[in-house]
PDB file of all heavy atoms in Angstrom:
ATOM      1  N   ALA N 210      -8.590  37.940  14.022  1.00 98.00           N
ATOM      2  CA  ALA N 210      -9.978  37.465  14.012  1.00 98.00           C
ATOM      3  C   ALA N 210     -10.740  38.010  15.220  1.00 98.00           C
ATOM      4  O   ALA N 210     -11.911  38.390  15.107  1.00 98.00           O
ATOM      5  CB  ALA N 210     -10.005  35.942  13.994  1.00 98.00           C
ATOM      6  N   GLU N 211     -10.062  38.063  16.374  1.00 98.00           N
ATOM      7  CA  GLU N 211     -10.723  38.596  17.578  1.00 98.00           C
ATOM      8  C   GLU N 211     -11.014  40.084  17.441  1.00 98.00           C
ATOM      9  O   GLU N 211     -12.071  40.560  17.866  1.00 98.00           O
ATOM     10  CB  GLU N 211      -9.857  38.329  18.815  1.00 98.00           C
ATOM     11  CG  GLU N 211      -9.928  36.873  19.274  1.00 98.00           C
ATOM     12  CD  GLU N 211      -8.816  36.502  20.263  1.00 98.00           C
ATOM     13  OE1 GLU N 211      -7.994  37.388  20.622  1.00 98.00           O
ATOM     14  OE2 GLU N 211      -8.765  35.319  20.665  1.00 98.00           O
ATOM     15  N   LEU N 212     -10.075  40.828  16.847  1.00 98.00           N
ATOM     16  CA  LEU N 212     -10.300  42.254  16.611  1.00 98.00           C
ATOM     17  C   LEU N 212     -11.512  42.454  15.700  1.00 98.00           C
ATOM     18  O   LEU N 212     -12.371  43.298  15.948  1.00 98.00           O
ATOM     19  CB  LEU N 212      -9.078  42.889  15.924  1.00 98.00           C
ATOM     20  CG  LEU N 212      -7.919  43.349  16.807  1.00 98.00           C
ATOM     21  CD1 LEU N 212      -6.746  43.753  15.917  1.00 98.00           C
ATOM     22  CD2 LEU N 212      -8.321  44.517  17.699  1.00 98.00           C
ATOM     23  N   ARG N 213     -11.560  41.646  14.643  1.00 98.00           N
ATOM     24  CA  ARG N 213     -12.688  41.742  13.713  1.00 98.00           C
ATOM     25  C   ARG N 213     -14.009  41.472  14.454  1.00 98.00           C
ATOM     26  O   ARG N 213     -14.984  42.201  14.301  1.00 98.00           O
ATOM     27  CB  ARG N 213     -12.488  40.733  12.579  1.00 98.00           C
ATOM     28  CG  ARG N 213     -13.472  40.888  11.418  1.00 98.00           C
ATOM     29  CD  ARG N 213     -14.752  40.123  11.594  1.00 98.00           C
ATOM     30  NE  ARG N 213     -14.554  38.717  11.811  1.00 98.00           N
ATOM     31  CZ  ARG N 213     -14.444  37.810  10.835  1.00 98.00           C
ATOM     32  NH1 ARG N 213     -14.540  38.165   9.576  1.00 98.00           N
ATOM     33  NH2 ARG N 213     -14.284  36.547  11.139  1.00 98.00           N
ATOM     34  N   ASP N 214     -14.018  40.420  15.277  1.00 97.00           N
ATOM     35  CA  ASP N 214     -15.248  40.067  15.996  1.00 97.00           C
ATOM     36  C   ASP N 214     -15.656  41.168  16.970  1.00 97.00           C
ATOM     37  O   ASP N 214     -16.841  41.466  17.128  1.00 97.00           O
ATOM     38  CB  ASP N 214     -15.081  38.735  16.730  1.00 97.00           C
ATOM     39  CG  ASP N 214     -14.910  37.571  15.762  1.00 97.00           C
ATOM     40  OD1 ASP N 214     -15.225  37.743  14.561  1.00 97.00           O
ATOM     41  OD2 ASP N 214     -14.452  36.491  16.196  1.00 97.00           O
ATOM     42  N   ARG N 215     -14.668  41.780  17.618  1.00 97.00           N
ATOM     43  CA  ARG N 215     -14.963  42.837  18.584  1.00 97.00           C
ATOM     44  C   ARG N 215     -15.639  44.018  17.896  1.00 97.00           C
ATOM     45  O   ARG N 215     -16.636  44.547  18.365  1.00 97.00           O
ATOM     46  CB  ARG N 215     -13.662  43.290  19.263  1.00 97.00           C
ATOM     47  CG  ARG N 215     -13.883  44.334  20.359  1.00 97.00           C
ATOM     48  CD  ARG N 215     -12.565  44.813  20.942  1.00 97.00           C
ATOM     49  NE  ARG N 215     -11.644  43.716  21.206  1.00 97.00           N
ATOM     50  CZ  ARG N 215     -10.314  43.857  21.299  1.00 97.00           C
ATOM     51  NH1 ARG N 215      -9.747  45.044  21.128  1.00 97.00           N
ATOM     52  NH2 ARG N 215      -9.543  42.833  21.544  1.00 97.00           N
ATOM     53  N   TRP N 216     -15.075  44.432  16.732  1.00 98.00           N
ATOM     54  CA  TRP N 216     -15.644  45.595  16.049  1.00 98.00           C
ATOM     55  C   TRP N 216     -16.924  45.238  15.305  1.00 98.00           C
ATOM     56  O   TRP N 216     -17.816  46.073  15.135  1.00 98.00           O
ATOM     57  CB  TRP N 216     -14.596  46.256  15.143  1.00 98.00           C
ATOM     58  CG  TRP N 216     -13.582  46.925  16.019  1.00 98.00           C
ATOM     59  CD1 TRP N 216     -12.319  46.478  16.321  1.00 98.00           C
ATOM     60  CD2 TRP N 216     -13.778  48.105  16.807  1.00 98.00           C
ATOM     61  NE1 TRP N 216     -11.727  47.307  17.223  1.00 98.00           N
ATOM     62  CE2 TRP N 216     -12.598  48.323  17.547  1.00 98.00           C
ATOM     63  CE3 TRP N 216     -14.835  49.001  16.949  1.00 98.00           C
ATOM     64  CZ2 TRP N 216     -12.433  49.395  18.414  1.00 98.00           C
ATOM     65  CZ3 TRP N 216     -14.693  50.078  17.817  1.00 98.00           C
ATOM     66  CH2 TRP N 216     -13.489  50.264  18.542  1.00 98.00           C
ATOM     67  N   ARG N 217     -17.055  43.985  14.927  1.00 96.00           N
ATOM     68  CA  ARG N 217     -18.303  43.519  14.318  1.00 96.00           C
ATOM     69  C   ARG N 217     -19.446  43.632  15.332  1.00 96.00           C
ATOM     70  O   ARG N 217     -20.556  44.025  14.993  1.00 96.00           O
ATOM     71  CB  ARG N 217     -18.118  42.065  13.890  1.00 96.00           C
ATOM     72  CG  ARG N 217     -19.029  41.657  12.769  1.00 96.00           C
ATOM     73  CD  ARG N 217     -18.751  40.203  12.434  1.00 96.00           C
ATOM     74  NE  ARG N 217     -18.721  40.030  10.995  1.00 96.00           N
ATOM     75  CZ  ARG N 217     -18.518  38.855  10.413  1.00 96.00           C
ATOM     76  NH1 ARG N 217     -18.294  37.784  11.125  1.00 96.00           N
ATOM     77  NH2 ARG N 217     -18.532  38.773   9.101  1.00 96.00           N
ATOM     78  N   SER N 218     -19.124  43.278  16.578  1.00 97.00           N
ATOM     79  CA  SER N 218     -20.159  43.339  17.620  1.00 97.00           C
ATOM     80  C   SER N 218     -20.570  44.782  17.899  1.00 97.00           C
ATOM     81  O   SER N 218     -21.601  45.030  18.518  1.00 97.00           O
ATOM     82  CB  SER N 218     -19.680  42.651  18.893  1.00 97.00           C
ATOM     83  OG  SER N 218     -18.682  43.444  19.520  1.00 97.00           O
ATOM     84  N   ARG N 219     -19.751  45.740  17.457  1.00 97.00           N
ATOM     85  CA  ARG N 219     -20.092  47.159  17.637  1.00 97.00           C
ATOM     86  C   ARG N 219     -20.691  47.759  16.369  1.00 97.00           C
ATOM     87  O   ARG N 219     -20.734  48.980  16.210  1.00 97.00           O
ATOM     88  CB  ARG N 219     -18.848  47.949  18.058  1.00 97.00           C
ATOM     89  CG  ARG N 219     -18.339  47.494  19.422  1.00 97.00           C
ATOM     90  CD  ARG N 219     -17.055  48.173  19.821  1.00 97.00           C
ATOM     91  NE  ARG N 219     -16.490  47.514  20.984  1.00 97.00           N
ATOM     92  CZ  ARG N 219     -15.357  47.876  21.571  1.00 97.00           C
ATOM     93  NH1 ARG N 219     -14.660  48.901  21.078  1.00 97.00           N
ATOM     94  NH2 ARG N 219     -14.903  47.236  22.617  1.00 97.00           N
ATOM     95  N   GLY N 220     -21.091  46.901  15.453  1.00 96.00           N
ATOM     96  CA  GLY N 220     -21.853  47.382  14.302  1.00 96.00           C
ATOM     97  C   GLY N 220     -21.097  47.535  13.005  1.00 96.00           C
ATOM     98  O   GLY N 220     -21.667  47.985  12.013  1.00 96.00           O
ATOM     99  N   TYR N 221     -19.801  47.161  12.973  1.00 97.00           N
ATOM    100  CA  TYR N 221     -19.056  47.257  11.708  1.00 97.00           C
ATOM    101  C   TYR N 221     -19.132  45.909  11.003  1.00 97.00           C
ATOM    102  O   TYR N 221     -18.773  44.892  11.580  1.00 97.00           O
ATOM    103  CB  TYR N 221     -17.587  47.614  11.972  1.00 97.00           C
ATOM    104  CG  TYR N 221     -17.414  49.020  12.496  1.00 97.00           C
ATOM    105  CD1 TYR N 221     -17.347  49.264  13.867  1.00 97.00           C
ATOM    106  CD2 TYR N 221     -17.325  50.102  11.623  1.00 97.00           C
ATOM    107  CE1 TYR N 221     -17.198  50.558  14.358  1.00 97.00           C
ATOM    108  CE2 TYR N 221     -17.173  51.391  12.095  1.00 97.00           C
ATOM    109  CZ  TYR N 221     -17.118  51.615  13.469  1.00 97.00           C
ATOM    110  OH  TYR N 221     -16.975  52.886  13.941  1.00 97.00           O
ATOM    111  N   ASP N 222     -19.580  45.924   9.750  1.00 94.00           N
ATOM    112  CA  ASP N 222     -19.664  44.672   8.995  1.00 94.00           C
ATOM    113  C   ASP N 222     -18.307  44.441   8.339  1.00 94.00           C
ATOM    114  O   ASP N 222     -17.931  45.168   7.411  1.00 94.00           O
ATOM    115  CB  ASP N 222     -20.771  44.799   7.945  1.00 94.00           C
ATOM    116  CG  ASP N 222     -20.915  43.515   7.150  1.00 94.00           C
ATOM    117  OD1 ASP N 222     -20.590  42.444   7.694  1.00 94.00           O
ATOM    118  OD2 ASP N 222     -21.328  43.573   5.976  1.00 94.00           O
ATOM    119  N   LEU N 223     -17.557  43.476   8.834  1.00 97.00           N
ATOM    120  CA  LEU N 223     -16.188  43.256   8.339  1.00 97.00           C
ATOM    121  C   LEU N 223     -16.022  41.780   7.969  1.00 97.00           C
ATOM    122  O   LEU N 223     -15.372  41.014   8.690  1.00 97.00           O
ATOM    123  CB  LEU N 223     -15.179  43.650   9.431  1.00 97.00           C
ATOM    124  CG  LEU N 223     -15.261  45.099   9.946  1.00 97.00           C
ATOM    125  CD1 LEU N 223     -14.456  45.255  11.233  1.00 97.00           C
ATOM    126  CD2 LEU N 223     -14.770  46.072   8.878  1.00 97.00           C
ATOM    127  N   PRO N 224     -16.622  41.355   6.854  1.00 97.00           N
ATOM    128  CA  PRO N 224     -16.592  39.922   6.537  1.00 97.00           C
ATOM    129  C   PRO N 224     -15.219  39.361   6.169  1.00 97.00           C
ATOM    130  O   PRO N 224     -14.990  38.161   6.290  1.00 97.00           O
ATOM    131  CB  PRO N 224     -17.553  39.800   5.353  1.00 97.00           C
ATOM    132  CG  PRO N 224     -17.614  41.163   4.752  1.00 97.00           C
ATOM    133  CD  PRO N 224     -17.396  42.131   5.877  1.00 97.00           C
ATOM    134  N   VAL N 225     -14.297  40.236   5.728  1.00 98.00           N
ATOM    135  CA  VAL N 225     -13.045  39.730   5.147  1.00 98.00           C
ATOM    136  C   VAL N 225     -11.883  39.767   6.144  1.00 98.00           C
ATOM    137  O   VAL N 225     -11.650  40.776   6.812  1.00 98.00           O
ATOM    138  CB  VAL N 225     -12.686  40.549   3.880  1.00 98.00           C
ATOM    139  CG1 VAL N 225     -11.296  40.167   3.355  1.00 98.00           C
ATOM    140  CG2 VAL N 225     -13.744  40.327   2.805  1.00 98.00           C
ATOM    141  N   LEU N 226     -11.137  38.655   6.194  1.00 98.00           N
ATOM    142  CA  LEU N 226      -9.865  38.591   6.931  1.00 98.00           C
ATOM    143  C   LEU N 226      -8.803  38.162   5.929  1.00 98.00           C
ATOM    144  O   LEU N 226      -8.771  37.003   5.517  1.00 98.00           O
ATOM    145  CB  LEU N 226      -9.929  37.581   8.075  1.00 98.00           C
ATOM    146  CG  LEU N 226     -10.700  37.974   9.335  1.00 98.00           C
ATOM    147  CD1 LEU N 226     -10.689  36.813  10.321  1.00 98.00           C
ATOM    148  CD2 LEU N 226     -10.111  39.219   9.991  1.00 98.00           C
ATOM    149  N   SER N 227      -7.955  39.098   5.521  1.00 98.00           N
ATOM    150  CA  SER N 227      -6.877  38.808   4.574  1.00 98.00           C
ATOM    151  C   SER N 227      -5.619  38.528   5.388  1.00 98.00           C
ATOM    152  O   SER N 227      -5.004  39.438   5.942  1.00 98.00           O
ATOM    153  CB  SER N 227      -6.683  40.013   3.648  1.00 98.00           C
ATOM    154  OG  SER N 227      -5.479  39.899   2.908  1.00 98.00           O
ATOM    155  N   MET N 228      -5.263  37.251   5.489  1.00 98.00           N
ATOM    156  CA  MET N 228      -4.092  36.885   6.302  1.00 98.00           C
ATOM    157  C   MET N 228      -3.599  35.516   5.871  1.00 98.00           C
ATOM    158  O   MET N 228      -4.367  34.669   5.436  1.00 98.00           O
ATOM    159  CB  MET N 228      -4.452  36.902   7.792  1.00 98.00           C
ATOM    160  CG  MET N 228      -5.590  35.988   8.222  1.00 98.00           C
ATOM    161  SD  MET N 228      -6.071  36.270   9.956  1.00 98.00           S
ATOM    162  CE  MET N 228      -7.077  34.791  10.263  1.00 98.00           C
ATOM    163  N   GLY N 229      -2.282  35.328   5.991  1.00 97.00           N
ATOM    164  CA  GLY N 229      -1.672  34.056   5.634  1.00 97.00           C
ATOM    165  C   GLY N 229      -0.957  34.148   4.300  1.00 97.00           C
ATOM    166  O   GLY N 229      -1.487  34.685   3.328  1.00 97.00           O
ATOM    167  N   MET N 230       0.316  33.643   4.291  1.00 96.00           N
ATOM    168  CA  MET N 230       1.141  33.655   3.085  1.00 96.00           C
ATOM    169  C   MET N 230       1.739  32.254   2.908  1.00 96.00           C
ATOM    170  O   MET N 230       1.330  31.320   3.589  1.00 96.00           O
ATOM    171  CB  MET N 230       2.194  34.746   3.188  1.00 96.00           C
ATOM    172  CG  MET N 230       1.541  36.132   3.338  1.00 96.00           C
ATOM    173  SD  MET N 230       2.669  37.544   3.158  1.00 96.00           S
ATOM    174  CE  MET N 230       3.521  37.546   4.718  1.00 96.00           C
TER     175      MET N 230
END
Side-chain angles (χ1 to χ4, degrees):
E211 284 165 2
L212 276 172
R213 190 272 304 273
D214 294 344
R215 184 183 316 157
W216 289 103
R217 205 180 223 181
S218 72
R219 296 176 191 180
Y221 291 94
D222 181 27
L223 302 166
V225 173
L226 285 178
S227 168
M228 58 188 194
M230 300 191 284

